Amino acid sequence: QNKTTKQHKTMIFLLWIFLFILSAGEAFMCALYLLSYSDFEDDEMGTLDIAARLNPFIKLEYALHTFSMFLLLVFGRWGVIILNLPLFIYHLKRFYMKEHIIIARQLYKKLKYLKTESIVKIVVYTVFFFLYFYFMIRDIIRFALDSGNLEEIVEKLGLFK
């Protein structure tokens, strides 16, 4: 049982690391969207270029967020699932209504909305980034306290000398 508990704790720690990295990537993808929309406004990119450039990233963002929700569900992290739920429902709605794909001829009409959406998503993913970072650090400390190795870890890291 002790080995199983240790493996479970390790998997939870790896979950937080994965979600930490994933949320940073998703925030950067949204920043890429925003920069592309700005390039479009400045006539540096055409509508077809924007659609061809961003649609694969948008699909990737949706897939990664769905996968992260699946992992949170598997590990029973209900509080974090509830925090992710509004964005997940928003993504599901847009996906099933086929609104997630950028259509070149509609870009002029939706540009302001898409820019606002990108800004909001950058903020949301950044909040998730710091939240996952907090959970990762919290679990490192919890695991160290549970194993009784906190003093050893502090000594190896050279903290509090």
Side-chain angles (χ1 to χ4, degrees):
Q1 183 185 10
N2 191 20
K3 187 177 182 180
T4 306
T5 304
K6 190 173 185 178
Q7 288 173 344
H8 182 72
K9 288 179 180 181
T10 303
M11 292 303 294
I12 290 172
F13 177 69
L14 291 175
L15 169 73
W16 295 132
I17 290 175
F18 177 74
L19 292 175
F20 174 72
I21 293 168
L22 190 69
S23 62
E26 289 169 328
F28 282 118
M29 278 192 269
C30 291
L32 172 69
Y33 307 158
L34 193 57
L35 290 172
S36 296
Y37 301 144
S38 295
D39 287 347
F40 174 71
E41 281 183 324
D42 295 339
D43 290 328
E44 294 176 20
M45 289 183 78
T47 55
L48 294 174
D49 297 329
I50 294 276
R53 180 180 184 183
L54 296 186
N55 280 334
F57 285 106
I58 292 170
K59 290 175 185 175
L60 178 63
E61 176 198 354
Y62 280 45
L64 290 175
H65 193 238
T66 302
F67 183 64
S68 68
M69 288 292 286
F70 172 75
L71 287 176
L72 289 167
L73 186 65
V74 167
F75 284 96
R77 301 295 160 196
W78 304 111
V80 182
I81 289 173
I82 290 170
L83 291 175
N84 272 278
L85 205 53
L87 182 60
F88 184 67
I89 291 170
Y90 176 75
H91 283 165
L92 283 177
K93 176 189 166 280
R94 290 194 38 106
F95 182 79
Y96 284 111
M97 296 184 79
K98 306 271 190 253
E99 296 174 349
H100 66 290
I101 297 171
I102 294 175
I103 300 171
R105 67 181 179 274
Q106 295 178 351
L107 190 58
Y108 287 107
K109 290 189 289 184
K110 294 185 173 185
L111 186 62
K112 185 176 180 178
Y113 176 82
L114 291 170
K115 285 176 67 175
T116 304
E117 177 190 57
S118 294
I119 291 168
V120 169
K121 282 186 177 184
I122 289 170
V123 170
V124 168
Y125 286 131
T126 303
V127 168
F128 288 153
F129 175 82
F130 287 109
L131 184 69
Y132 299 145
F133 181 70
Y134 165 76
F135 286 134
M136 185 174 59
I137 298 300
R138 183 198 67 186
D139 285 347
I140 288 173
I141 293 169
R142 273 190 184 167
F143 301 158
L145 288 173
D146 289 347
S147 67
N149 294 335
L150 184 60
E151 293 83 14
E152 184 180 318
I153 292 170
V154 169
E155 186 177 310
K156 284 182 182 178
L157 293 174
L159 300 174
F160 306 115
K161 283 190 175 183

